[in-house]
Amino acid sequence: MQELSQQAIVLEVGSGSSPWCRSDVLLDRFYIDETGQRGGGEIFVDRRPMVVAAGERLPFKDKAFDFVYCCHVIEHASDIASMLDEMSRVARAGFIECPNPL
């Protein structure tokens, strides 16, 4: 596995209440979570740009990012195939982690 360079631009899909420290742009479906999916955690906002959008329809140009990071979010997608296609479209590489369904 190749190391992620310091110059790489990273998009985090589903940043929620505890985004990855390496993310440059944060994205979440809800600015205020009334669904309870975040376990009551508030959305995290800091100096990084925060985009509110669905993972199935990412508002970025093709290959706008070097890397996309998505941790424990894909299982909440209404259309997983579309979300995977969108992440592949906007980034050159990435990491997706999904919890075990059990």
Side-chain angles (χ1 to χ4, degrees), residues 75 98-102:
E75 69 275 13
C98 183
N100 184 323
L102 300 176

Side-chain angles (χ1 to χ4, degrees), residues 2-100:
Q2 190 175 14
E3 187 175 319
L4 188 60
S5 78
Q6 290 296 320
Q7 293 77 30
I9 310 254
V10 178
L11 167 67
E12 182 167 355
V13 174
S15 57
S17 59
S18 58
W20 184 34
C21 62
R22 184 57 186 82
S23 300
D24 297 298
V25 176
L26 308 178
L27 181 135
D28 208 287
R29 179 175 228 135
F30 307 105
Y31 191 74
I32 298 172
D33 180 28
E34 295 176 350
T35 66
Q37 291 184 15
R38 226 181 258 128
E42 298 276 330
I43 193 85
F44 181 86
V45 179
D46 62 8
R47 61 164 178 72
R48 297 175 279 189
M50 176 66 193
V51 177
V52 177
E56 297 90 346
R57 293 175 306 282
L58 297 174
F60 305 110
K61 293 180 181 181
D62 294 357
K63 304 304 179 209
F65 298 93
D66 298 301
F67 194 83
V68 63
Y69 177 79
C70 180
C71 185
H72 291 243
V73 174
I74 194 92
E75 69 275 13
H76 300 287
S78 58
D79 184 347
I80 292 172
S82 291
M83 190 167 171
L84 291 170
D85 287 345
E86 279 293 277
M87 288 189 287
S88 294
R89 180 184 66 78
V90 302
R92 292 172 184 80
F95 174 83
I96 299 168
E97 181 176 317
C98 183
N100 184 323

